[in-house]
Amino acid sequence: MTTKEKPAAGPLTIAEIAQQAGVSIATVSKVVNGKSEVSPDTRALVEGVISQHGYRRQKKRTQTTSLIELVFHELEGAYAMEIIKGVEQIASQHDLAVVLSQAQSRQSPGRGWIEGVLARRPVGVIGVFEGLDESQQRQLHHRGIPLVLMDPTGEPGHDLPSVGASNWSGGLSATRHLIDLGHRRIAAITGPARILSSRARLDGYRAALDGAGLKIDPALIREGDFNVTDGLVHAKKLFALPDPPTAIFAFNDAQALGVYQAAVASGRRIPDDLSVVGFDDLPSIQWAIPGLTTVRQPLGEMAAAAATMVIAAANGEPSASNRLILATELVVRESTASFRVSS
């Protein structure tokens, strides 16, 4: 099947796209509306025509429902709750409801998800996950449903609006705090290397060590997956080193709690024998004893900003910037103290 050549100026209607692609109007309608009953080759052909010429909707625009779609790759824990509260705060001000969904994988939502979104016709979509594939992005775009990424785990495209935090600065300030306390053997328990925020925090950690003239020891850097078990397992391995760390920077609060457990199991006292810094400052961390020094990531504010951006886009309002970065802040509590030489 080949695309029929037809000169055209400006975006095409469904009928014109069908003529260009050599398929039926019904087939083009199914592609535009995200229906699944179209072969991959035909779908690619139609989307190719739309990408080349654009798609002109009929004057009678399909009404959207009063919904914002919020999709996570993993819908659990205090992290997700802070984001939900931030989005709902803005949504309620605009008489909108929030629909929650979870991706079928950590890479991008499955085909069933995009069909559900197009059927629900939300005002916009906020994605908290790896990202959407190009086909899903096109389907949202062609339906006039704006997409904003919240705390993207990969580098977002230049034309895709996103909201994030200053992870590099957060990693830098956490590590500098430990250096200023006299620590020189500072370990880092990171998140997955594929995640942008984890790489940025690690770069900040390395920059702080380099700025202080401290050698970076690869044995002190352990890659985790942002959960309590990682903190526990990696801390135990760090304690078993011939020259163990006197301080650990965990790349999220959950990992920091795992470090707490490992410290208790090894007979170490926090902060007398080991200083610990986390990242996020989620409300649930207030129960940690001693109080956890951590980097506050303003998740609620980030989520509210993402909701504001998606509503503005739905109303056709221009955005000052496609990439919004909110500041992080080091919150010092009782889990860090000056380095003490063991007697």
Side-chain angles (χ1 to χ4, degrees):
M1 187 181 295
T2 58
T3 303
K4 294 181 180 180
E5 295 297 328
K6 175 180 178 293
L12 306 181
T13 63
I14 284 182
E16 290 168 335
I17 293 169
Q19 183 179 7
Q20 284 275 316
V23 299
S24 69
I25 293 175
T27 296
V28 175
S29 179
K30 289 177 182 178
V31 173
V32 168
N33 289 292
K35 302 299 183 181
S36 59
E37 57 268 24
V38 179
S39 71
D41 289 344
T42 301
R43 182 182 298 277
L45 178 65
V46 173
E47 289 179 345
V49 173
I50 294 174
S51 296
Q52 181 180 359
H53 297 284
Y55 163 49
R56 184 170 75 248
R57 296 178 183 82
Q58 301 299 315
K59 291 183 179 179
K60 184 179 178 181
R61 183 179 177 183
T62 302
Q63 288 293 107
T64 59
T65 51
S66 299
L67 302 172
I68 292 179
E69 185 96 14
L70 179 57
V71 56
F72 294 83
H73 71 75
E74 188 174 46
L75 182 53
E76 63 178 31
Y79 176 92
M81 286 305 302
E82 288 300 296
I83 294 174
I84 293 169
K85 287 190 292 185
V87 172
E88 285 190 328
Q89 175 190 355
I90 300 301
S92 64
Q93 296 174 9
H94 294 267
D95 296 322
L96 300 173
V98 179
V99 174
L100 305 179
S101 56
Q102 181 170 300
Q104 297 174 5
S105 74
R106 299 196 68 168
Q107 299 302 315
S108 63
R111 175 171 292 179
W113 172 81
I114 191 67
E115 292 173 4
V117 171
L118 296 181
R120 286 187 288 273
R121 294 177 285 114
V123 168
V125 175
I126 300 173
V128 190
F129 45 71
E130 298 283 344
L132 297 180
D133 62 38
E134 291 184 2
S135 174
Q136 291 168 333
Q137 290 183 40
R138 283 196 298 269
Q139 289 179 75
L140 290 179
H141 176 72
H142 296 153
R143 259 314 263 283
I145 300 174
L147 167 68
V148 174
L149 294 185
M150 156 74 194
D151 195 17
T153 52
E155 187 66 44
H158 295 296
D159 58 345
L160 196 59
S162 63
V163 180
S166 55
N167 289 288
W168 184 88
S169 296
L172 181 76
S173 62
T175 311
R176 275 183 174 172
H177 171 64
L178 294 170
I179 293 171
D180 290 343
L181 290 172
H183 295 278
R184 296 298 178 263
R185 295 284 291 169
I186 302 170
I189 301 177
T190 78
R194 59 184 167 77
I195 293 182
L196 179 64
S197 61
S198 177
R199 297 198 304 271
R201 292 170 198 177
L202 182 58
D203 287 343
Y205 161 87
R206 287 170 168 158
L209 293 178
D210 184 65
L214 299 177
K215 182 179 179 181
I216 298 172
D217 184 352
L220 294 180
I221 301 175
R222 304 296 172 116
E223 182 178 337
D225 197 23
F226 289 141
N227 59 56
V228 175
T229 301
D230 290 327
L232 174 63
V233 171
H234 287 300
K236 286 183 175 180
K237 292 179 179 179
L238 289 166
F239 296 156
L241 291 174
D243 187 8
T246 63
I248 296 178
F249 171 28
F251 280 24
N252 79 340
D253 291 343
Q255 291 179 151
L257 292 180
V259 173
Y260 271 41
Q261 294 179 16
V264 171
S266 68
R268 286 173 169 81
R269 296 168 300 167
I270 298 173
D272 296 341
D273 306 315
L274 178 74
S275 285
V276 182
V277 178
F279 203 109
D280 281 336
D281 196 30
L282 297 172
S284 57
I285 208 63
Q286 66 180 302
W287 304 110
I289 300 175
L292 177 65
T293 294
T294 187
V295 177
R296 180 177 182 270
Q297 180 174 213
L299 292 174
E301 293 93 326
M302 291 160 62
T308 299
M309 290 171 69
V310 84
I311 292 171
N315 292 332
E317 300 172 9
S319 175
S321 173
N322 264 11
R323 178 70 169 149
L324 179 62
I325 302 294
L326 300 187
T328 53
E329 176 188 3
L330 180 68
V331 180
V332 179
R333 299 193 180 99
E334 295 79 34
S335 67
T336 52
S338 297
F339 170 68
R340 301 174 186 177
V341 179
S342 301
S343 56

